[in-house]
Amino acid sequence: MTQQGSASLNFVLRNGRKVAARRYVNPDGTIGGLVAETAVVESGAVIEVGAVVGPGARVSKGIRVKSEKIVDIQDIE
């Protein structure tokens, strides 16, 4: 994952494993939503404030994840 801000939290998976997440900084410098460290957000993607990109998710270049959208939270082993 690229360009993260300072706010953080942990996803807690069903197996008890914790996956850290941080605020994403969008290509235009605006603060975006929360993105799990195990997620892949390609350069050029926009994650709006209020959006959540969960563990194991992938957001391709040019995609905009809208506010209040939760993307692909998976229980990865």
Side-chain angles (χ1 to χ4, degrees), residues 8 19 45 56 60:
S8 65
V19 176
S60 299

Side-chain angles (χ1 to χ4, degrees), residues 5-71:
S6 60
S8 65
L9 64 76
N10 287 317
F11 288 96
V12 179
L13 305 179
R14 282 180 252 162
N15 63 6
R17 183 172 164 233
K18 293 181 181 178
V19 176
R22 302 206 185 286
R23 285 272 175 207
Y24 182 76
V25 178
N26 290 304
D28 66 359
T30 59
I31 300 298
L34 289 166
V35 177
E37 288 185 350
T38 59
V40 175
V41 178
E42 293 182 2
S43 179
V46 174
I47 312 297
E48 292 183 1
V49 171
V52 176
V53 178
R58 181 177 193 92
V59 180
S60 299
K61 179 179 181 176
I63 297 296
R64 175 180 288 271
V65 179
K66 301 272 186 181
S67 183
E68 299 182 25
K69 173 80 174 167
I70 298 175
V71 178

